[in-house]
Amino acid sequence: MTKTFASKAFGAASPTAKLAPLSIQRREPGPNDVHIEILYCGVCHSDLHQVRDEWKSVMPTVYPCVPGHEIVGRVARVGSDVKKFKVGDIAGVGCMVDSCRTCPQCKAGDEQYCATMPTFTYNFPDKHVGGVTYGGYSDAIVVDEAFVVKVPAGIDPARAAPLLCAGITTYSPLRHWKVGPGHKVGVVGLGGLGHMAVKLARAMGAHVVVFTTSERKRADALKLGAHDVILSTDAQAMQSQLGTFDFILDTVSAPHDFNAYLEQLKLDGSMVLVGAPAEPVPLGVFSLIFKRRRLGGSAIGGIRETQEMLDFCAKHGLAADIELIPAAKLDECFARMVKGDVKYRFVIDIASLK
Ligand code: NAP
Ligand code: ZN
Ligand code: ZN
């Protein structure tokens, strides 16, 4: 039987329960494992979807559920074969803690598209301890070094945490669709993912326009790096730049009209969905057909690419804009997230669990 140790965590016992303290077991590190004392964990809207079992048709939640996949901490112990890390290093863990490592996608560094599914950081069968994996709303985690990244010294660890999901989830499609100078990019939804998309697309040299439902975020959007802001509830504003965008990244967490954004694309333009509303959304095919537009999706990013993203952020002086919270405030923060009231990522100070 795998030897384990106890770790303090915050999790939910049911879809309607408040997040509460609980004790979980972590495996003792094996030869390739890194034991990380977690310092900070970002609060992603996916955590809320999963805790409330909103994705039950695709990924039903197993309770208790300990979410959290924007993890930054200090390396406390390393296994005998670990090469990349030493005790004291600041390390990061994102949405995956393992994958098959042998399929073509894993070999290409796209572990997020592993043929047999990567092992997600929480709510996925845990082959070591049994039950399901538990995420970063906890004071420790043990992960194979192949799924741990280095947090560059130049980035404040608390502000680096959201890069492990919000950062890579927006960086990866921007890179895949080769966004750069001369491109006009739309970012739909200014939340955790959206605000990182703005910073990254701007740093890549694109002209960036934010589509938001929140007039109160206009000034922030410009400060974050957007060149322009369109209030999506203003019909006239939505008409003003129709057919002019090369690329649109949709980060919205709730069902909304895709067609209104597809119409913003120029000939051969692409819109990519990263936001993951639970319910299906109707699609009018003519918004695709008439201008040979493309609609795609994208999931997080690979481990090598996550390191590349962190290094890119360090080089460009980028990190998330955060509100640091104690774990006891998580329910309040979930409620604010549903209202779009986040500036622009909650990050749990894990010292509050002790
Ligand atoms: P978030 O911080 O809550 O931001 C979502 C934003 O969407 C809100 O701030 C709001 O922006 C907008 N919005 C919310 N409800 C809306 C509605 N009814 N109509 C129009 N706009 C609305 O969430 P997040 O953490 O960035 O995550 C966003 C989505 O991405 C979630 O569904 C999450 O599960 C998903 N996600 C996917 C991946 C992936 O790999 N594909 C990875 C991480 C997260 P405005 O106020 O500006 O309108
Ligand atoms: Zn996430
Ligand atoms: Zn694989």
Side-chain angles (χ1 to χ4, degrees), residues 271-343:
M271 169 155 138
V272 171
L273 309 175
V274 286
E279 300 84 22
V281 175
L283 185 69
V285 293
F286 290 106
S287 29
L288 291 170
I289 289 175
F290 280 149
K291 288 217 164 66
R292 202 165 52 196
R293 296 165 172 134
R294 302 179 192 107
L295 178 62
S298 183
I300 43 175
I303 299 299
R304 195 162 61 222
E305 193 178 30
T306 302
Q307 188 65 59
E308 179 191 304
M309 175 276 308
L310 286 169
D311 297 341
F312 179 90
C313 286
K315 185 172 158 206
H316 292 268
L318 305 180
D321 287 23
I322 65 162
E323 190 175 327
L324 200 62
I325 59 151
K329 278 207 167 158
L330 274 164
D331 285 293
E332 198 182 300
C333 295
F334 273 21
R336 281 180 55 193
M337 200 149 66
V338 172
K339 289 191 284 184
D341 175 22
V342 188
K343 289 188 161 186

Side-chain angles (χ1 to χ4, degrees), residues 43-47 49 55 69-70 95 165-166 169 188-195 210-217 232 250-256 261 273-278 297-301 336-342 344-345:
V43 180
C44 179
H45 205 114
S46 301
D47 300 348
H49 290 307
W55 290 334
H69 56 209
E70 294 185 335
C95 302
C165 176
T169 302
V188 189
L190 197 64
L193 267 58
H195 98 291
V210 166
F211 292 90
T212 179
T213 59
S214 310
E215 174 61 30
R216 66 182 191 283
K217 294 181 183 169
S232 52
D250 186 330
T251 75
V252 175
S253 51
H256 58 289
Y261 298 102
L273 309 175
V274 286
S298 183
I300 43 175
R336 281 180 55 193
M337 200 149 66
V338 172
K339 289 191 284 184
D341 175 22
V342 188
Y344 278 88
R345 195 57 132 191

Side-chain angles (χ1 to χ4, degrees), residues 97-352:
V97 290
D98 206 350
S99 72
C100 86
R101 309 188 199 198
T102 56
C103 75
Q105 293 88 295
C106 283
K107 283 194 167 150
D110 286 327
E111 301 90 350
Q112 74 277 31
Y113 303 120
C114 174
T116 49
M117 292 293 275
T119 304
F120 290 115
T121 304
Y122 59 83
N123 198 58
F124 206 85
D126 184 330
K127 70 179 179 197
H128 302 278
V129 184
V132 291
T133 50
Y134 292 130
Y137 294 9
S138 59
D139 64 4
I141 193 165
V142 176
V143 181
D144 188 303
E145 70 164 333
F147 285 77
V148 184
V149 289
K150 293 181 183 210
V151 177
I155 312 180
D156 169 12
R159 297 185 61 205
L163 302 178
L164 276 305
C165 176
I168 184 60
T169 302
T170 50
Y171 180 89
S172 183
L174 290 169
R175 279 288 189 236
H176 185 80
W177 273 268
K178 299 189 169 46
V179 163
H183 286 130
K184 183 168 173 180
V185 172
V187 174
V188 189
L190 197 64
L193 267 58
H195 98 291
M196 283 314 307
V198 170
K199 291 182 188 224
L200 290 163
R202 178 71 191 248
M204 290 172 189
H207 179 88
V208 184
V209 180
V210 166
F211 292 90
T212 179
T213 59
S214 310
E215 174 61 30
R216 66 182 191 283
K217 294 181 183 169
R218 181 182 293 275
D220 283 351
L222 297 172
K223 230 185 319 169
L224 290 164
H227 295 87
D228 202 355
V229 181
I230 294 179
L231 187 63
S232 52
T233 51
D234 176 343
Q236 218 175 339
M238 285 296 278
Q239 292 290 317
S240 64
Q241 302 188 35
L242 275 184
T244 65
F245 285 81
D246 297 282
F247 182 78
I248 294 179
L249 193 64
D250 186 330
T251 75
V252 175
S253 51
H256 58 289
D257 180 18
F258 293 162
N259 302 292
Y261 298 102
L262 288 168
E263 295 292 346
Q264 308 289 335
L265 294 171
K266 55 163 78 151
L267 178 73
D268 286 327
S270 297
M271 169 155 138
V272 171
L273 309 175
V274 286
E279 300 84 22
V281 175
L283 185 69
V285 293
F286 290 106
S287 29
L288 291 170
I289 289 175
F290 280 149
K291 288 217 164 66
R292 202 165 52 196
R293 296 165 172 134
R294 302 179 192 107
L295 178 62
S298 183
I300 43 175
I303 299 299
R304 195 162 61 222
E305 193 178 30
T306 302
Q307 188 65 59
E308 179 191 304
M309 175 276 308
L310 286 169
D311 297 341
F312 179 90
C313 286
K315 185 172 158 206
H316 292 268
L318 305 180
D321 287 23
I322 65 162
E323 190 175 327
L324 200 62
I325 59 151
K329 278 207 167 158
L330 274 164
D331 285 293
E332 198 182 300
C333 295
F334 273 21
R336 281 180 55 193
M337 200 149 66
V338 172
K339 289 191 284 184
D341 175 22
V342 188
K343 289 188 161 186
Y344 278 88
R345 195 57 132 191
F346 295 117
V347 172
I348 308 166
D349 182 352
I350 296 298
S352 66

Side-chain angles (χ1 to χ4, degrees), residues 7-68:
S7 160
K8 288 183 177 158
F10 246 72
S14 79
T16 50
K18 284 186 182 311
L19 285 131
L22 68 153
S23 178
I24 56 172
Q25 294 297 310
R26 298 295 193 186
R27 69 177 183 271
E28 286 291 340
N32 298 302
D33 288 338
V34 179
H35 167 178
I36 298 168
E37 277 173 4
I38 303 177
L39 299 169
Y40 301 104
C41 185
V43 180
C44 179
H45 205 114
S46 301
D47 300 348
L48 190 160
H49 290 307
Q50 194 76 63
V51 160
R52 299 199 172 157
D53 209 9
E54 291 175 356
W55 290 334
K56 60 172 156 292
S57 60
V58 191
M59 287 185 282
T61 305
V62 177
Y63 295 93
C65 174
V66 176

